[in-house]
Amino acid sequence: MFGLDIPLYGLLLLVLLGFTIATIVNTFAMEAAVLFTPAFLFVFPLVVPNFPALSINAAIGLALFVELFGYSSSVAAYWYRHQIDFNVAKKVLVITVPTAMLARAGSYYVPSDLLMVGFGVLLVVLAVVLFESHEHGPSLVDTVAEKPELSLLAVLEEGYEPRTRVLTDTHDAAETPPSETMGGAATTDRERATGRAVMGDGDDASEFHLELPDFLITLLGGTLAGLVGIAIGELTQTMLALRRRVPLKLSTGTSALVLHVTIVAALIANVALLRFAPSVTGEGFTVPFDVGVFVATGCLFGGQVGAFLNNRLRETQVMAMLIAVYFLVGIFVVVRTVVLGGGGH
């Protein structure tokens, strides 16, 4: 059917599974690869007839492809609502895009089982950090942020103006009001950026610049996006909202754009390697994008349903379920890999 060995009911099952996973992902505001990568390795081959056996890198590549569909619509919505600051995004993307592309190439030199264990451990770490932050008062990030001598807090200057349109500088501050907990400009000298800029002019209060901690967080996010396809969104949001105190609406939309463009860059690198450098991947063109189209079709609808459900759940409920999913999936991936030797190779 459609040039695939999968029967019609199997193709419908692909759409249904894509819809279900996308609904869960968008309901709990998590990155799609968190569920799609292990699902492509362990679930789809069991329930979809003739679903191709995938290596870990092929599963990550397919997850990146599927993510492309969901994030395109969400980024467009954020742009329409003036929730993307292009001044910030361009500074971050200059780092994350090449880093993710290099890391995607480098991932083929990492043993499959090690990559899978790293993927699972990262999910468990994220779950623990989120739990500590939301269940036991101030998180580690909040604690160190109160110590300016550690240079972990560098809030925006009051003169900074975001740029929420590509071809114009116009911006209405009322569109992106500060959050009660993490939005707003610096109010004291202790909160202001040190001026030790890695990117941008640290002495210009109207300019957004990255300091060394921002640079390192961004570099880590790009690396993880290329290696395992996750964490770039969470790290960017943390850096902007907590460390730089960018208004929550702006940090959310800007993080979504950074995640989207970075994932696209990693996907392009993946396709280029598979097509033009099979000696690097050692796999040939093994990412079944034709299968991914059916999964992505379900994602288009699941994303809308998930967003609908997300707006109707309390934040505490969403966070509790998000922590549980991260932890359980992470433990499953680690145990499955260590005990049974991971997915396909």
Side-chain angles (χ1 to χ4, degrees), residues 140-148 152-153 242-243:
L140 177 63
V141 174
D142 298 323
T143 301
V144 296
E146 294 173 358
K147 302 181 183 299
L152 289 172
L153 186 67
L242 289 179
R243 180 177 143 73

Side-chain angles (χ1 to χ4, degrees), residues 190-214:
R190 288 167 60 83
E191 289 183 336
R192 290 189 176 89
T194 64
R196 294 191 290 272
V198 175
M199 293 187 63
D201 185 0
D203 296 323
D204 186 351
S206 64
E207 169 81 4
F208 182 86
H209 66 275
L210 295 178
E211 295 187 349
L212 184 58
D214 307 318

Side-chain angles (χ1 to χ4, degrees), residues 1-295:
M1 181 67 65
F2 298 103
L4 299 170
D5 294 331
I6 301 176
L8 178 59
Y9 77 91
L11 296 178
L12 294 176
L13 195 54
L14 287 177
V15 176
L16 178 61
L17 288 171
F19 171 82
T20 303
I21 294 176
T23 299
I24 296 172
V25 163
N26 284 276
T27 299
F28 303 143
M30 68 177 68
E31 293 187 37
V34 168
L35 290 186
F36 274 113
T37 296
F40 286 144
L41 288 171
F42 308 123
V43 179
F44 281 67
L46 293 178
V47 299
V48 179
N50 298 327
F51 188 84
L54 301 178
S55 68
I56 172 61
N57 273 301
I60 292 173
L62 188 57
L64 295 177
F65 173 73
V66 169
E67 283 183 290
L68 177 63
F69 288 80
Y71 292 139
S72 295
S73 60
S74 63
V75 168
Y78 285 130
W79 172 81
Y80 181 77
R81 296 185 179 95
H82 292 254
Q83 286 184 242
I84 297 175
D85 187 344
F86 290 95
N87 284 334
V88 176
K90 67 182 181 182
K91 296 284 177 56
V92 175
L93 287 170
V94 165
I95 300 169
T96 62
V97 166
T99 303
M101 296 180 79
L102 289 173
R104 187 87 284 266
S107 68
Y108 285 94
Y109 294 96
V110 180
S112 296
D113 285 352
L114 181 59
L115 205 56
M116 282 299 296
V117 170
F119 180 89
V121 169
L122 180 59
L123 289 179
V124 173
V125 170
L126 286 173
V128 171
V129 170
L130 288 172
F131 179 79
E132 288 295 323
S133 174
H134 291 270
E135 295 294 326
H136 294 290
S139 67
L140 177 63
V141 174
D142 298 323
T143 301
V144 296
E146 294 173 358
K147 302 181 183 299
E149 62 270 17
L150 298 180
S151 189
L152 289 172
L153 186 67
V155 184
L156 293 175
E157 297 283 358
E158 241 178 293
Y160 176 72
E161 274 295 321
R163 181 175 182 177
T164 57
R165 283 287 183 260
V166 177
L167 300 177
T168 176
D169 289 323
T170 59
H171 172 75
D172 182 0
E175 294 170 346
T176 51
S179 161
E180 290 182 2
T181 56
M182 61 181 61
T187 56
T188 68
D189 290 336
R190 288 167 60 83
E191 289 183 336
R192 290 189 176 89
T194 64
R196 294 191 290 272
V198 175
M199 293 187 63
D201 185 0
D203 296 323
D204 186 351
S206 64
E207 169 81 4
F208 182 86
H209 66 275
L210 295 178
E211 295 187 349
L212 184 58
D214 307 318
F215 177 83
L216 295 177
I217 292 171
T218 303
L219 191 66
L220 176 62
T223 301
L224 293 174
L227 285 176
V228 293
I230 61 174
I232 177 65
E234 285 86 350
L235 287 173
T236 304
Q237 174 76 325
T238 299
M239 185 267 287
L240 295 179
L242 289 179
R243 180 177 143 73
R244 300 307 295 269
R245 208 181 292 171
V246 172
L248 189 56
K249 283 189 176 182
L250 273 182
S251 66
T252 301
T254 305
S255 298
L257 176 65
V258 169
L259 187 154
H260 180 63
V261 176
T262 304
I263 291 300
V264 169
L267 179 61
I268 291 173
N270 206 148
V271 173
L273 286 168
L274 293 171
R275 179 66 72 186
F276 303 111
S279 61
V280 173
T281 64
E283 300 178 1
F285 202 82
T286 55
V287 179
F289 293 112
D290 47 359
V291 172
V293 169
F294 290 91
V295 180

Side-chain angles (χ1 to χ4, degrees), residues 302-332:
Q304 299 302 315
V305 174
F308 175 83
L309 294 174
N310 179 271
N311 288 330
R312 279 152 183 77
L313 292 173
R314 294 196 302 272
E315 183 180 348
T316 53
Q317 292 176 315
V318 172
M319 187 57 59
M321 288 185 245
L322 177 63
I323 292 170
V325 170
Y326 274 19
F327 185 80
L328 292 175
V329 172
I331 292 295
F332 169 78

